[in-house]
Amino acid sequence: MCALRIFCLAGLLSPLLAQAQPAANSPAPLPEIHQLMKEVQEHQKALDKVRENYTYTSLQTTQDLDSNGHVTQTKSTENEDFFVNSHVIERIVKKDGKPLDSHDEQKETERVTKLVEKAEKTPPGQPLEGPQISISRVLEIMDVRNPRREDYHGRSAIVFDFVGRKDAKTHGLAEDASKKLQGTLWIDEADREVAHMEVSFDDNFHVAGGLVANIQKGSSFRFDQAQVNGELWLPTGAEANVQARIMLLKGIREHFTERDYDFKRFHVDTQQGKDAKAVPEKKP
């Protein structure tokens, strides 16, 4: 999720667009991208509380690949996802298709409980774990190119490409990584929500000069969202292809996919006292 925040924020830089008055019956002018992304951010903040009324299932699959691209190992986790104070929390319920045993379930409950407590104390917009880049810094690091309007899944989308500026002065892991990224972002024009995103490293990225890790050029990431129940947008899937070398020794080639589904609106069953829990709402 931290990587996802970094990539979504990367669309905030833009040149000013022409302000010419369109002729009659011509398409509406493209919005100014700075303003568009501010509206996306403000709209998402307004929906954060609504998101906390939803749970969904995420199935995450990781395939280890050899140098020829053949799968050598496949691992998967099935999670229950929910939101606390705008932060997404994932609770593992299955590993490799099998429910957790009692020991692992207890450990997972303890982990999630601590994460929920941390989320409650962490302001929205700040990361629970890992690095995060601020909006103002993204504006200075990224260039936006080729803004346009496209049809995406039957809806109008504002689309633009972005690329990190190599000459930008950066500090910290997230900022340094942003300079190495290029990609394309699709914004649903009516709802001002990120509908689709594709990002890749256009150069090798060295962590601690390559001593800790070296993420190779071509590593890529894709993310999708869609409207749920006509009320708000939630993640529907993601995909990543990563090639890296860890600690100068271990080479990693992985293909990761995530499928999000079974979205449910819930309420808290207050009759349970200390054992209060989320209960799916019955459909009328």
Side-chain angles (χ1 to χ4, degrees):
M1 295 304 296
C2 290
L4 174 58
R5 293 192 189 97
I6 292 170
F7 295 148
C8 282
L9 289 175
L12 286 172
L13 178 65
S14 168
L16 292 175
L17 301 178
Q19 300 297 317
Q21 182 69 24
N25 300 322
S26 65
L30 290 172
E32 196 278 312
I33 303 299
H34 274 99
Q35 182 60 35
L36 173 66
M37 294 309 297
K38 288 179 181 178
E39 292 173 7
V40 170
Q41 183 187 17
E42 291 170 359
H43 186 63
Q44 188 56 63
K45 287 181 179 179
L47 290 179
D48 279 344
K49 288 299 181 182
V50 181
R51 282 189 175 209
E52 294 190 16
N53 295 328
Y54 273 86
T55 64
Y56 61 93
T57 299
S58 65
L59 178 61
Q60 300 175 355
T61 303
T62 301
Q63 295 176 322
D64 294 337
L65 309 175
D66 62 19
S67 58
N68 295 316
H70 299 143
V71 178
T72 59
Q73 185 180 27
T74 299
K75 298 167 287 187
S76 68
T77 61
E78 184 176 311
N79 314 289
E80 291 179 350
D81 291 43
F82 58 97
F83 296 88
V84 176
N85 197 22
S86 82
H87 305 287
V88 64
I89 307 292
E90 293 183 339
R91 178 189 179 93
I92 299 174
V93 294
K94 292 182 180 180
K95 286 186 176 181
D96 299 326
K98 298 179 180 179
L100 301 184
D101 59 30
S102 58
H103 175 70
D104 287 342
E105 186 175 11
Q106 180 61 33
K107 289 176 60 178
E108 183 64 6
T109 297
E110 294 172 357
R111 183 190 72 84
V112 170
T113 298
K114 291 179 180 178
L115 199 56
V116 168
E117 292 173 350
K118 185 177 181 180
E120 291 173 339
K121 299 175 183 178
T122 303
Q126 293 187 13
L128 288 181
E129 299 174 309
Q132 182 172 334
I133 187 170
S134 70
I135 294 173
S136 59
R137 283 298 294 147
V138 170
L139 291 173
E140 300 170 0
I141 296 171
M142 290 289 179
D143 282 328
V144 167
R145 305 169 179 176
N146 192 25
R148 57 204 183 271
R149 183 178 279 110
E150 294 182 3
D151 180 89
Y152 187 73
H153 290 177
R155 296 171 63 96
S156 176
I158 303 299
V159 186
F160 54 87
D161 307 318
F162 59 88
V163 61
R165 292 195 299 105
K166 306 304 182 186
D167 60 346
K169 294 183 179 181
T170 55
H171 303 280
L173 182 63
E175 291 188 9
D176 293 345
S178 296
K179 293 172 59 175
K180 306 287 187 177
L181 297 177
Q182 66 178 8
T184 303
L185 193 62
W186 284 254
I187 303 295
D188 185 85
E189 186 168 10
D191 288 356
R192 295 308 202 244
E193 286 283 351
V194 175
H196 182 65
M197 178 179 59
E198 298 178 359
V199 178
S200 64
F201 281 86
D202 61 3
D203 195 1
N204 293 338
F205 176 57
H206 306 287
V207 180
L211 295 177
V212 174
N214 177 21
I215 302 176
Q216 297 180 16
K217 176 180 178 180
S219 295
S220 61
F221 177 80
R222 176 185 63 79
F223 169 73
D224 289 288
Q225 284 198 133
Q227 192 181 64
V228 174
N229 294 348
E231 184 176 26
L232 78 166
W233 289 64
L234 288 169
T236 56
E239 183 176 8
N241 289 286
V242 178
Q243 297 184 42
R245 184 167 296 278
I246 307 298
M247 302 295 290
L248 300 177
L249 299 173
K250 184 179 179 180
I252 294 177
R253 290 173 177 261
E254 289 186 342
H255 177 226
F256 168 86
T257 59
E258 176 175 326
R259 185 168 64 90
D260 304 311
Y261 56 97
D262 196 23
F263 300 95
K264 295 178 180 178
R265 185 178 174 89
F266 69 88
H267 68 277
V268 175
D269 188 349
T270 58
Q271 303 300 316
Q272 299 295 324
K274 291 184 179 180
D275 296 324
K277 60 183 179 180
V279 179
E281 288 187 347
K282 295 180 179 179
K283 296 183 179 179

